Amino acid sequence: MQKQSTSLWKLFSVFFRIGAFTFGGGLAMLPLIEREVVDVRGWVGKDEILDIVALSQSVPGAIAVNSSIFIGLRLRGVIGAIAAMLGTITPSIFIILIIAHFFTQFQSNPILMRAFSGIKGAVIGLVAAAALRAGKNAVVNRYGLVVAACAFFLSVFGVLPIVWIIILGGLSGIVYFRAKGGVA
Amino acid sequence: MILWQLFSAFFKIGLFTIGGGYAMLALIQQEIVSRGWMTPQEFVDVVGIAEVTPGPIAINSATFVGFRTGGIPGALSASLAVVLPSLICVMIVSRMWEKYKSAHVVQSMFAGIRPVVAGLVAAAAVLIATPTLKYAEGIASQLLTLVIAAAAFYAVGVKKFDPIKVIAGAALVGILIFR
């Protein structure tokens, strides 16, 4: 655990960058967070990031904000959590303040609208890339494949709220690994 | 006192939004429109803006509504209020997690939850793709959107490019090619 070694400014600036490039909400930021936090800085392990995402989806609030609080808290305690959280939300606050000021010009600017059309396409690909990566890390046997497929269909067809899908997955893990006699 | 009203309304929105993303839109609309802070049409515009600007939709709408009703102090009050419940809840949950994560039952639970996350992320790709393709005007735009999506998937998922550069590149392609 590298407590104290990460500066608050580093936490703020890394999450500022994540916040500034999170389009499409929620899980679209996962590839970015994974790259910055897992690959580049090694603040969090590959499996742990999936746990943090699951926990972030199970408590109130936006996933991007919640996961930044989790990671900040782990690296530098409460003050780190606040630094990471402020980093995540500062870009949106600035951008919305500017837009709220120039609302009508913004809506009718064709160049911006075309740029966003391109970004929307990329977001689909980014989320698919996050799914591929999460699948590689988490789906290691037939049980995992069945659980992932169930979660996929329950969510796509809007059968259950996401929190309930996560809770069911947790219960299935408890039942399955008890029958099997342990996780490893 | 408008700042306090904004703060309490958005604290409530933050507290009752679980699962992230678009789940909270109904709640935000109810709170904001019923207080007369915005018309339903203005709210639709805010959602549109939130979709094309970076950052969580909860923060975007809090900042926008706060600014419209109380200027910059209103924007800051609403934005901080909407994330405060997250800060409190995550601190509680994180403490419990650190304490119990080595317990067998918690390990089994997370061994079950990790594949769920993989499935949910895959579902998110489908759920984001559907409206994006539906509202793209004409076959050419839809095809182009799919091509950009596939290229972004390959660049980030297979070639491990920086997602920030991929988003910037997609914006550029959009400006040059979309009509």
Side-chain angles (χ1 to χ4, degrees):
Chain A
M1 187 74 61
Q2 37 173 294
K3 269 199 168 143
Q4 299 303 322
S5 64
T6 312
S7 77
L8 292 176
W9 170 246
K10 191 94 233 168
L11 267 172
F12 180 87
S13 62
V14 164
F15 280 100
F16 185 95
R17 194 153 49 178
I18 292 170
F21 284 90
T22 299
F23 289 89
L27 295 164
M29 57 71 188
L30 196 51
L32 252 168
I33 290 205
E34 284 185 324
R35 183 185 173 88
E36 293 285 337
V37 171
V38 181
D39 299 343
V40 177
R41 299 176 211 281
W43 285 345
V44 173
K46 269 185 185 175
D47 274 349
E48 277 181 317
I49 192 75
L50 293 181
D51 298 348
I52 287 174
V53 171
L55 288 169
S56 297
Q57 288 185 284
S58 314
V59 295
I63 298 169
V65 175
N66 291 348
S67 39
S68 69
I69 297 173
F70 267 112
I71 294 164
L73 195 60
R74 154 171 301 208
L75 292 171
R76 287 296 305 270
V78 175
I79 186 94
I82 293 171
M85 181 190 82
L86 290 179
T88 308
I89 67 174
T90 302
S92 344
I93 294 177
F94 267 115
I95 291 167
I96 293 291
L97 282 179
I98 293 167
I99 289 174
H101 215 250
F102 302 101
F103 188 42
T104 41
Q105 289 99 310
F106 173 82
Q107 256 188 330
S108 53
N109 186 321
I111 292 184
L112 271 181
M113 288 301 136
R114 294 211 298 259
F116 286 130
S117 298
I119 289 174
K120 281 184 195 167
V123 165
I124 301 172
L126 287 186
V127 178
L132 175 72
R133 180 167 171 157
K136 272 188 196 160
N137 290 338
V139 180
V140 287
N141 51 26
R142 197 178 298 165
Y143 160 77
L145 192 62
V146 171
V147 171
C150 289
F152 174 82
F153 286 111
L154 287 174
S155 174
V156 162
F157 295 108
V159 183
L160 282 176
I162 287 181
V163 184
W164 282 103
I165 302 176
I166 292 174
I167 291 172
L168 282 180
L171 289 177
S172 86
I174 293 172
V175 172
Y176 176 81
F177 291 107
R178 169 162 295 174
K180 206 170 150 261
V183 171
Chain B
M1 181 65 185
I2 189 70
L3 288 185
W4 172 247
Q5 282 174 2
L6 279 168
F7 189 89
S8 62
F10 278 96
F11 187 87
K12 188 172 153 197
I13 290 169
L15 187 61
F16 287 102
T17 302
I18 298 186
Y22 297 93
M24 62 167 16
L25 282 182
L27 181 62
I28 299 181
Q29 180 167 25
Q30 194 189 328
E31 287 287 319
I32 292 168
V33 175
S34 71
R35 283 164 205 262
W37 287 342
M38 256 183 193
T39 66
Q41 180 52 44
E42 282 176 317
F43 183 75
V44 172
D45 289 340
V46 172
V47 175
I49 291 172
E51 274 174 354
V52 294
T53 51
I57 197 160
I59 318 291
N60 292 338
S61 40
T63 309
F64 197 95
V65 175
F67 181 75
R68 277 289 182 86
T69 25
I72 288 179
L76 295 180
S77 169
S79 308
L80 290 177
V82 83
V83 293
L84 196 57
S86 294
L87 190 64
I88 298 166
C89 295
V90 169
M91 286 193 325
I92 296 167
V93 169
S94 176
R95 185 156 297 174
M96 278 161 47
W97 186 48
E98 295 290 343
K99 194 168 168 192
Y100 296 112
K101 70 177 174 187
S102 51
H104 285 302
V105 66
V106 176
Q107 287 199 339
S108 306
M109 202 170 84
F110 275 94
I113 287 175
R114 277 175 213 142
V116 167
V117 173
L120 289 179
V121 179
V126 175
L127 292 173
I128 291 170
T130 313
T132 305
L133 291 174
K134 197 172 153 194
Y135 293 115
E137 281 169 32
I139 293 283
S141 295
Q142 288 173 334
L143 273 179
L144 188 56
T145 304
L146 275 179
V147 169
I148 293 175
F153 173 75
Y154 181 74
V156 175
V158 182
K159 302 302 270 181
K160 313 282 181 212
F161 283 5
D162 185 347
I164 292 178
K165 287 176 188 145
V166 172
I167 287 175
L172 200 62
V173 171
I175 291 172
L176 294 175
I177 298 178
F178 270 105
R179 280 290 164 266

